[in-house]
Amino acid sequence: MSGADAALSPVPRSSLRCPELRRMWCRRSRRRHNRHQLALPNSTAPRSVTILYFNPAPIRRLPVTKHVPQNNPKRRKATAPTASRTTPATRVLLINGLDDLSNATIVGISNGVQFSYTGNIDLMGDLGHPNLSVSQLLLGCLREAPIKMAMPAVIFNCIADPDSHGRSLDRASELLEQARVPVLNRPQNVRKTTRDNIYRLLHNTPGLVVPRTVRLAPRRLSDIRAAMADGDIGMPFLIRPAGQHGGAGLLRVDSESDLGQLERFAFDGRGYYLTEFVDFRSPDGLYRKYRLIMLDGRVYPRHLIASDHWNIHSRSRGTVMQNNLELMAQEQAFLDHPERHFKESVQQALAQIRRELELDYFGVDCGLNADGDLVVFEINACVNVIQRHQAPFGYLNAAVERIRTGVIEMVLRRDRNRSA
C-alpha cells in the first residue's frame, strides 16, 4: 500500500459469523479492489470479528523540474534551474466503529464485499480533494490486529451514536489518548449527545423547547408507567428504541387505550427512550422539520421539510412537497437566509448548544412552535447530510456542497493550525 501498510493475516473461517459471509470471504479474501481493501485479522475467538477497513490514498506530488548542469549542451536556454520539491497532501484518518453487537450490513458484492455501518458519519466518499489523503479505520468490539501506518495530520472520529456504539467509543478513546495531532469530534463529547442528556443539558436554555426525556430498560408494561411518573411525562408521548434514528421504531402514544400498542416492543432489558410529545404544527396545518449542521462553530442550513404528518423524514418530501412550488420556495429561502427564520434568542441558544457539546461536527433536527422557539427533536453527530438530490429538489445540492466544502476546510484548517 502506498504510504501505509496493514500487518494483517488471513482470517479463519470460524471468525465469520454467517455461512454466506464465510463463503464470500473465502472467494475474495486476497483480492484488492479499486475502492476498498477489506481485511480481517487472525483470531482464535469464534465471534471475534474486528474489521480494518483501509483506503490509503497516495501522496499527491507536484511536478518537479529536473536541474540540468550549466555545461550540458542539451540544456535549453529558457529552462532555469529549479529545486526539487514535494508537497504531500494532508493525511486524514477517519475512525469508524462497529456497534456493540458487531453488526455490519452487506450492501454489495459485485466488486468485492462492501459493508455499511450504522451509527457512523459517512464521510469516506465526500472528502475528495487534491490536498487530502484519506484513510479509514474500523474498530471492532473484541480483539484487534496491529496495523502500521504513517502518522495522520488530522483524525476525525466518525463514531456518532453513544447508545449503540459504546464499546467502539471506548476503544477510540483509548486509541486517541496517544494522539498528538488534532482530533475532530472527540469520543467523550459524542457521549454527551444521548437524548436524555440533551434534555439535562439544555432544557433551561431560553429560545429552546427540549421535551422531557428519560431512558429506561423495561421488563414489563408497568415499568413504562413508572418511568412516566418519575420523569413527569404525560400523554401524548413518544417511545423509541435507543440507538435508532430516522423515525425507525418510533411510536406515539396518545391515550391510555393506546398503551396496548407497546406490546410490539421487546421488553427484555434493552434500552428505550420516553419523550413527551410537543406539538409543532404550523398555522397552515403542516409540520415542518428544520435541519441545521453545526460545523466548526458555524451554522449551515441543510433542509426544511414540510409534511402533513408529525413524523417527518426524508421520504416525506414525496407526500406534500413534490408538486408544491410554494413549499419548495420556502425551503430555498431558508437555505439562502437561515437567520431570517430564527429570532435572536434561538440564535443565542444555538451558540449555547455548541459550547455545551464541544463537538466540531453535529446536526440539530428541530421545529418551531407558535412562539418562534426551537423545538428540539434530536441533537447529535449521527447525521449523514452529503447526499445529492434530483429534480425537482436539485436546489438542495448547493447547500450540500457548502457543507462538504466546510468539512474539507475545517480539516485543512486544523492541519494549518497544527503546523503553525
Side-chain angles (χ1 to χ4, degrees), residues 76-321:
R76 298 178 181 177
K77 295 182 179 180
T79 304
T82 304
S84 298
R85 297 186 63 186
T86 299
T87 303
T90 297
R91 291 183 177 275
V92 185
L93 177 63
L94 307 181
I95 297 182
N96 290 265
L98 293 175
D99 66 21
D100 292 343
L101 299 177
S102 298
N103 289 324
T105 303
I106 298 176
V107 296
I109 60 174
S110 59
N111 293 318
V113 184
Q114 298 175 7
F115 292 87
S116 173
Y117 315 100
T118 61
N120 294 272
I121 309 169
D122 184 11
L123 290 176
M124 193 62 195
D126 301 315
L127 293 184
H129 190 274
N131 292 333
L132 293 181
S133 172
V134 184
S135 300
Q136 185 168 243
L137 173 65
L138 182 69
L139 301 179
C141 298
L142 298 173
R143 298 186 58 176
E144 68 274 2
I147 64 170
K148 183 171 64 177
M149 61 175 294
M151 177 61 69
V154 179
I155 299 176
F156 200 135
N157 170 47
C158 296
I159 307 172
D161 194 329
D163 289 310
S164 59
H165 288 64
R167 293 181 182 179
S168 290
L169 284 170
D170 288 341
R171 187 67 186 92
S173 295
E174 296 172 7
L175 181 67
L176 294 176
E177 285 178 359
Q178 310 167 32
R180 297 296 182 267
V181 298
V183 177
L184 299 170
N185 274 20
R186 287 190 172 273
Q188 62 266 33
N189 295 331
V190 172
R191 290 189 179 280
K192 298 178 182 180
T193 61
T194 59
R195 296 177 187 271
D196 53 340
N197 194 55
I198 290 296
Y199 171 72
R200 285 192 291 267
L201 288 176
L202 300 172
H203 72 279
N204 287 325
T205 305
L208 295 184
V209 177
V210 186
R212 293 185 182 89
T213 303
V214 296
R215 177 167 175 154
L216 69 159
R219 294 284 182 178
R220 56 189 64 85
L221 187 58
S222 59
D223 294 338
I224 302 290
R225 296 182 183 276
M228 292 173 60
D230 293 342
D232 193 22
I233 296 177
M235 295 187 184
F237 69 87
L238 305 175
I239 182 171
R240 80 183 78 213
Q244 292 195 11
H245 303 269
L250 180 62
L251 175 67
R252 174 172 152 180
V253 178
D254 292 318
S255 63
E256 287 284 337
S257 61
D258 293 333
L259 288 176
Q261 299 182 47
L262 297 178
E263 298 296 342
R264 72 176 66 177
F265 296 109
F267 292 160
D268 56 0
R270 70 186 68 184
Y272 290 88
Y273 282 113
L274 296 185
T275 305
E276 67 172 335
F277 178 77
V278 175
D279 194 3
F280 60 99
R281 190 180 318 195
S282 302
D284 61 0
L286 295 177
Y287 297 91
R288 285 173 170 81
K289 174 183 174 181
Y290 299 78
R291 173 166 288 182
L292 303 170
I293 302 302
M294 306 298 202
L295 184 55
D296 207 21
R298 294 186 58 189
V299 180
Y300 290 77
R302 174 55 178 86
H303 61 232
L304 167 55
I305 303 178
S307 175
D308 55 1
H309 193 272
W310 60 269
N311 188 4
I312 306 175
H313 44 74
S314 58
R315 295 183 299 275
S316 300
R317 288 184 177 278
T319 59
V320 175
M321 296 186 66

Side-chain angles (χ1 to χ4, degrees), residues 8-28:
L8 302 171
S9 56
V11 60
R13 294 189 181 190
S14 61
S15 294
L16 295 172
R17 297 178 59 179
C18 67
E20 293 78 13
L21 186 54
R22 285 201 296 269
R23 286 194 290 271
M24 286 186 289
W25 177 255
C26 291
R27 289 195 300 268
R28 307 173 189 273

